Amino acid sequence: MLWLHLHFPHLLLDHIRRSGENVAALAIVEGSGQQVIQACPAARDLGVKAGMRLKTAISLAPDLGIVRADQAQETRILEDQALWVYRYAAHIVLVPPNGLLAEIGSLQRLYGGLPAAWRTIEEVLHERQLNAWLGIGHTPLAAGLIARNGMGECTSDTAQILRTLGRIPLQAAEFDTRTSTRLKRLGLSTLGEVFGLPPAEMARRLSPETLATIQKIQGSRADPQPPWQPPHHFRQQADFVQDIERSQGLLFPLHRMLSELEKDLCWRQQDTDCLLLVLQHRNGEPTHLRIRTSGPEHRAEAFLSLITLRFEQQALKAPVASLRLTVKRFLGREMHGGQDLLGESQDLNEAWHTLISRLQARLGENALKQLAPTDDHRPERAWSTSDVRRSNRATIAATGQLPCRPLWLLQGPQPLTETPKAWFTGPERISGGWWDGQRVHRDYYIAQLNSGQLAWVFRDMREGWFIHGWFG
């Protein structure tokens, strides 16, 4: 097998900077907040370095942006990276806190060779604005050591990989302090010299555990790697150094997150009709915004348009410290064709639900209703209102077989006070209502009155003639 290791030396720093904030100098500090562990190039230019005390860093860069490292946050960010790598390689292994391992040997034919697969990963890293050191090895531990030491080469030659490993100094070989001390006392300085020790002598002078680790690096001992499984939901989060006070400031990170959602939905070959936005405030309860579409959707621009409309209607109640986007509901994708309705889509159904979604975002989810048929022959009881749903062509085709009905149905039948000038269709007998005590027995006609209007009239068997609606 052949493994590719991605080492992200500044994963949390890259994550923060991708939010688009205009922070010139930025540093990540460890949990207690006393020591710098990562610094962006602008901060390093001012003299801020990893391992420096925070007080010293602030004295060098008074406007330094500071973010405290959080283990749960780092785990979540690493899983975010694993999700996109999973689109290119099926066997993914998380290597916390800042590494990913992917089995790449079986993918060489798919990508047209190892160099093409290497270039694909590099292009995606550049697109996502991520810094990563790549390393290829014939074992998982070998790939990780090469990557973390910045010695990655695009090669599948085991001999070449072992020569690269052999040049790694002992202090960079990631042995524990006690083992490193013992190896130095033996006069060894590189990993290659350790490889030259006889296994029995190595186990006696060091420990069986150290021997097992070295054999896993070399490949003479099995090192199974259980694969990571992607979650059955989509989740992206943007964390801000400075709180965002206006909703317009959220649109840039939202655009990036929704673009990620669009790619994820395309990869899944699915759509969604419900997004959950959680705006986390420094003080107070978070704001939950549920964004619904009238039908399945996957386009980032469509989602962003709906969210923008919602922001126009609902101002931020407090500055936002972080923004989370979650999608848990996935729908099968439908493929349609048709004419352009809104100038944005050649799919009539898609254009229809885009229009409805925008109206609902501006007016409210419950502001729009549509007519729906009910199982009753009586015209005044044959319809009801319901929530707007995606246009269905099968339903439209079926309703085309119904008798002709007026677009304007009166609130209640009105007496017919004149003899119609002309009769066109009829009679159509409607008899029903015995089940609820509101029985009707009517013969309906389309007739032209003396004024020239076309009316829908009926004759009640007991009460005479009535007008029930008008044709346009």
Side-chain angles (χ1 to χ4, degrees):
M1 298 181 75
L2 199 62
W3 295 90
L4 172 69
H5 188 105
L6 286 80
H7 172 65
F8 302 97
H10 310 116
L11 185 56
L12 182 55
L13 189 64
D14 290 343
H15 168 75
I16 297 296
R17 292 178 65 82
R18 289 181 71 206
S19 298
E21 287 186 90
N22 188 21
V23 180
L26 180 63
I28 309 297
V29 299
E30 44 83 29
S32 65
Q34 300 300 316
Q35 190 176 43
V36 175
I37 58 176
Q38 295 178 24
C40 75
R44 292 198 296 270
D45 290 343
L46 295 173
V48 180
K49 300 178 181 178
M52 179 179 289
R53 290 183 60 81
L54 180 58
K55 290 183 179 180
T56 306
I58 294 176
S59 67
L60 295 172
D63 296 328
L64 183 67
I66 301 169
V67 176
R68 183 170 297 185
D70 178 80
Q71 185 175 356
Q73 182 187 32
E74 291 177 335
T75 300
R76 172 179 53 77
I77 296 172
L78 185 62
E79 290 179 347
D80 288 345
Q81 312 318 313
L83 190 60
W84 69 261
V85 175
Y86 190 79
R87 301 171 194 166
Y88 302 92
H91 193 135
I92 303 293
V93 181
L94 301 185
V95 187
N98 51 13
L100 291 177
L101 192 64
E103 195 283 309
I104 199 174
S106 59
L107 301 178
Q108 296 184 63
R109 183 176 297 179
L110 175 64
Y111 287 98
L114 187 61
W118 180 284
R119 285 195 303 272
T120 299
I121 297 298
E122 286 188 324
E123 290 170 1
V124 178
L125 287 168
H126 177 73
E127 177 187 343
R128 297 178 64 87
Q129 301 175 18
L130 290 171
N131 294 296
W133 299 346
L134 307 184
I136 291 179
H138 59 296
T139 68
L141 290 181
L145 279 172
I146 291 174
R148 286 188 290 273
N149 282 279
M151 303 172 69
E153 297 177 272
C154 184
T155 178
S156 58
D157 183 4
T158 301
Q160 176 65 29
I161 293 171
L162 287 172
R163 284 194 293 271
T164 301
L165 290 168
R167 296 197 301 271
I168 296 178
L170 280 183
Q171 60 267 27
E174 302 178 1
F175 292 117
D176 60 77
T177 304
R178 182 180 179 185
T179 301
S180 296
T181 302
R182 288 183 174 182
L183 290 172
K184 289 178 181 178
R185 287 175 179 174
L186 292 175
L188 306 178
S189 59
T190 65
L191 190 57
E193 293 172 347
V194 177
F195 289 163
L197 293 176
E201 185 71 11
M202 193 182 305
R204 185 180 68 83
R205 286 179 173 269
L206 302 174
S207 68
E209 291 77 17
T210 302
L211 173 62
T213 299
I214 293 173
Q215 289 176 334
K216 288 179 180 179
I217 296 173
Q218 294 175 303
S220 58
R221 178 177 293 221
D223 187 15
Q225 300 291 324
W228 171 81
Q229 294 297 324
H232 297 292
H233 64 269
F234 176 87
R235 174 176 169 145
Q236 282 274 306
Q237 182 164 322
D239 301 288
F240 308 117
V241 179
Q242 300 171 351
D243 291 358
I244 305 298
E245 298 184 356
R246 296 181 180 275
S247 58
Q248 288 294 322
L250 300 175
L251 296 183
F252 181 86
L254 268 173
H255 186 272
R256 177 184 62 78
M257 295 160 71
L258 292 171
S259 297
E260 289 294 324
L261 173 61
E262 180 176 336
K263 293 176 182 177
D264 185 76
L265 291 172
C266 289
W267 173 72
R268 295 174 187 262
Q269 287 296 296
Q270 291 182 311
D271 290 339
T272 187
D273 60 358
C274 183
L275 281 64
L276 177 63
L277 286 180
V278 179
L279 312 183
Q280 189 68 51
H281 309 291
R282 196 74 60 183
N283 300 305
E285 294 296 320
T287 300
H288 293 77
L289 298 178
R290 196 170 296 277
I291 309 298
R292 297 185 183 275
T293 67
S294 64
E297 181 59 86
H298 67 276
R299 297 169 298 161
E301 294 298 332
F303 292 134
L304 186 62
S305 176
L306 297 180
I307 294 171
T308 302
L309 288 173
R310 177 66 70 85
F311 282 159
E312 291 176 359
Q313 304 300 313
Q314 182 176 342
L316 298 180
K317 69 178 185 180
V320 178
S322 67
L323 170 67
R324 184 170 71 247
L325 169 66
T326 305
V327 174
K328 294 184 178 181
R329 175 178 167 85
F330 297 97
L331 307 170
R333 179 165 295 183
E334 301 177 12
M335 302 300 294
H336 298 290
Q339 301 175 1
D340 188 4
L341 180 63
L342 298 178
E344 298 178 0
S345 170
Q346 293 298 318
D347 184 344
L348 284 175
N349 282 347
E350 185 174 280
W352 163 257
H353 90 73
T354 297
L355 172 63
I356 296 303
S357 298
R358 289 177 180 175
L359 290 173
Q360 287 176 327
R362 181 174 292 277
L363 303 175
E365 290 184 11
N366 299 321
L368 299 182
K369 298 291 182 181
Q370 72 176 22
L371 298 181
T374 58
D375 296 328
D376 199 312
H377 293 289
R378 295 168 292 182
E380 62 269 30
R381 297 176 181 269
W383 60 275
S384 64
T385 60
S386 65
D387 293 335
V388 177
R389 61 180 182 272
R390 188 178 176 90
S391 173
N392 189 309
R393 295 182 181 177
T395 301
I396 295 173
T399 57
Q401 306 301 319
L402 295 175
C404 185
R405 292 287 184 266
L407 294 177
W408 182 3
L409 192 69
L410 300 177
Q411 188 171 2
Q414 302 294 324
L416 178 63
T417 58
E418 61 180 276
T419 301
K421 178 180 179 181
W423 301 86
F424 294 103
T425 63
E428 176 194 345
R429 176 157 293 181
I430 294 179
S431 180
W434 62 85
W435 53 85
D436 61 6
Q438 302 293 324
R439 181 161 187 169
V440 300
H441 193 74
R442 305 168 179 168
D443 287 335
Y444 278 86
Y445 301 82
I446 297 178
Q448 185 178 23
L449 303 186
N450 295 324
S451 62
Q453 291 178 286
L454 284 180
W456 198 37
V457 303
F458 68 84
R459 177 177 178 269
D460 187 279
M461 297 305 178
R462 294 174 297 178
E463 301 181 9
W465 289 89
F466 295 86
I467 302 174
H468 207 165
W470 300 102
F471 291 91

